[in-house]
Amino acid sequence: MSYRFPELGVGTMLWTPKSDEEKENYFKTYKWCLDHGVDFFDTAEVYGNGSVETLLGEFKKLDGRTVKISSKFAPPSSMNPVAPKRKTVKTDSPEAIHEALDRTLDRLGMESLDLYLMHTPPKNGNIAAYMEVMAKELESGRIKAVGVCNHSGKQIAEATEALHKYGYSLDAAMVGYNLLRRYPETNGVIDICRKYNITLIPYAPLAEGTLTGKYRGKKVPLSYFVTSYFGHLNMTKERDDEIPFIKRLFSKPRECDVKRMEPLMLVLEDIAKKHGKSIAQVSLNWLYTNPKVNVFPIPGTRNIKQAESNLGAVSWTLTDDDRKRIDEAERSCR
Ligand SMILES: NC(=O)c1ccc[n+]([C@@H]2O[C@H](COP(=O)([O-])OP(=O)(O)OC[C@H]3O[C@@H](n4cnc5c(N)ncnc54)[C@H](OP(=O)(O)O)[C@@H]3O)[C@@H](O)[C@H]2O)c1
């Protein structure tokens, strides 16, 4: 039976506080989420070099309530050359999953994870061997579901087929997806998710803040420009690119071009007004109510105000006409 994801989760990639005040803010956000039924937190062993898992473990102990956690194992990969070194096995062996999971569960103070994902495809390409070890961890009960991140449609199918051999299924595929980053619709990821009933977990669901409207009339931060630019160069080969590399090299990613984004922002703003919502809530709802695939959004939530807004993005539905207008506006700023 497939794992049932809730309506909304919380992305904690940036929960790396630099002061007690910041830490207190995250703890308040954590408690607010639990008070309001949002109890699924996404993390990874590499976030803050393990410190985000430790922080969640501390919050869980202080608060005392049950939570659901997804975390990620980082194999050596061309996307992530600095994978954590393992002590008991070779870093590039699939058995490294056991050691990584030991550490993750230790830091979280938990006996099992709701979802364990491979953070990137392994450099040695042997996805099936990694899934064999994941199947052993499902068997042991230390994980309840398996997922993969940043895998192509073909690689997701390979992971699925490998798990089927042991009587398990792949429950989640995490890729960058939002109403500006549409590649999963054409690169085979959504097709494979539909075929195998896999939930798509879109990271960067708010395009790291662009889809909240907060950069309108402003310059985007340099850090965001840099990550968008790497995506724009298609270094991870997530899209079948129609724009020649040389042209991409000398152009701005569109999400960083605030003037180019403005017609889309105006449409989102108009639809938001009609529903009594915000641009951020419309952008998240567009993902959450995706008619093609089951989507579980995990927006990166930094404080109670954002948690409240993100919760207001689910349990209602954009109309077909709203979706049509959004798609037209998105196409017009390509
Ligand atoms: N598997 C992977 O490879 C991978 C990669 C990236 C992310 N992830 C996961 O996906 C999660 C989400 O992705 P993300 O954090 O990169 O991008 P995101 O969710 O698109 O954007 C997060 C940013 O949006 C702003 N924000 C969030 N909610 C808001 C609201 N309601 N109103 C206004 N602004 C709001 C915050 O900006 P401020 O910081 O300015 O407050 C936050 O830092 C991560 O936390 C992580 O768990 C996974």
Side-chain angles (χ1 to χ4, degrees), residues 7-8 206 277-289 297 299 306-318:
E7 290 184 323
L8 180 76
L206 292 167
K277 298 285 177 183
S278 65
I279 291 179
Q281 289 171 323
V282 169
S283 302
L284 272 185
N285 190 272
W286 180 89
L287 278 171
Y288 165 71
T289 57
Q306 292 179 357
E308 202 168 355
S309 157
N310 295 340
L311 186 56
V314 296
S315 304
W316 60 281
T317 309
L318 286 167

Side-chain angles (χ1 to χ4, degrees), residues 68-101:
K68 300 184 180 86
I69 303 274
S70 57
S71 192
K72 312 180 193 85
F73 159 77
S77 146
S78 51
M79 287 175 74
N80 179 21
V82 283
K85 293 266 173 295
R86 310 300 171 187
K87 289 188 183 129
T88 56
V89 284
K90 279 173 76 182
T91 299
D92 65 355
S93 76
E95 281 68 30
I97 286 177
H98 298 306
E99 183 185 314
L101 185 59

Side-chain angles (χ1 to χ4, degrees), residues 10-14 42-43 47 72 119 149-150 174 202-209 212 214-215 280 298-303 305-307 309-310:
V10 176
T12 63
M13 186 172 70
L14 299 179
D42 177 69
T43 186
Y47 293 170
K72 312 180 193 85
H119 211 146
C149 309
N150 300 301
M174 190 183 286
Y203 67 73
L206 292 167
E208 295 178 35
T212 67
K214 72 175 176 185
Y215 299 133
I298 47 156
T301 308
R302 310 281 308 273
N303 51 49
K305 198 167 161 224
Q306 292 179 357
S309 157
N310 295 340

Side-chain angles (χ1 to χ4, degrees), residues 81-262:
V82 283
K85 293 266 173 295
R86 310 300 171 187
K87 289 188 183 129
T88 56
V89 284
K90 279 173 76 182
T91 299
D92 65 355
S93 76
E95 281 68 30
I97 286 177
H98 298 306
E99 183 185 314
L101 185 59
D102 287 347
R103 299 283 94 75
T104 283
L105 292 173
D106 254 16
R107 287 190 285 264
L108 288 164
M110 294 176 89
E111 289 184 354
S112 73
L113 291 178
D114 270 65
L115 173 68
Y116 200 35
L117 305 118
M118 283 259 286
H119 211 146
T120 52
K123 199 172 182 174
N124 60 25
N126 200 350
I127 293 173
Y130 282 89
M131 290 303 126
E132 184 183 347
V133 181
M134 286 291 196
K136 284 183 187 150
E137 288 296 1
L138 283 165
E139 198 66 48
S140 76
R142 297 207 301 170
I143 59 177
K144 294 183 185 140
V146 175
V148 290
C149 309
N150 300 301
H151 283 49
S152 67
K154 204 167 149 243
Q155 290 167 327
I156 296 169
E158 198 180 330
T160 306
E161 298 293 345
L163 283 169
H164 282 177
K165 278 195 194 149
Y166 306 97
Y168 293 108
S169 56
L170 187 84
D171 281 309
M174 190 183 286
V175 290
Y177 184 42
N178 58 53
L179 68 83
L180 287 171
R181 188 170 173 169
R182 310 285 290 258
Y183 318 120
E185 294 172 2
T186 53
N187 66 10
V189 167
I190 287 187
D191 291 342
I192 290 293
C193 288
R194 276 168 72 103
K195 178 172 173 189
Y196 291 111
N197 194 23
I198 298 167
T199 294
L200 191 151
I201 307 184
Y203 67 73
L206 292 167
E208 295 178 35
T210 303
L211 287 171
T212 67
K214 72 175 176 185
Y215 299 133
R216 290 174 87 183
K218 295 184 193 146
K219 265 195 165 171
V220 304
L222 183 63
S223 58
Y224 179 50
F225 183 86
V226 172
T227 49
S228 300
Y229 187 67
F230 277 105
H232 181 60
L233 292 182
N234 199 20
M235 303 306 262
T236 56
K237 310 241 180 313
E238 71 176 326
R239 60 194 194 203
D240 309 329
D241 222 308
E242 69 288 0
I243 313 166
F245 181 75
I246 196 78
K247 199 161 174 200
R248 278 181 275 126
L249 195 62
F250 294 106
S251 60
K252 243 188 202 180
R254 67 170 176 161
E255 59 273 29
C256 295
D257 189 340
V258 287
K259 265 198 193 146
R260 200 163 147 199
M261 286 296 101
E262 191 51 23

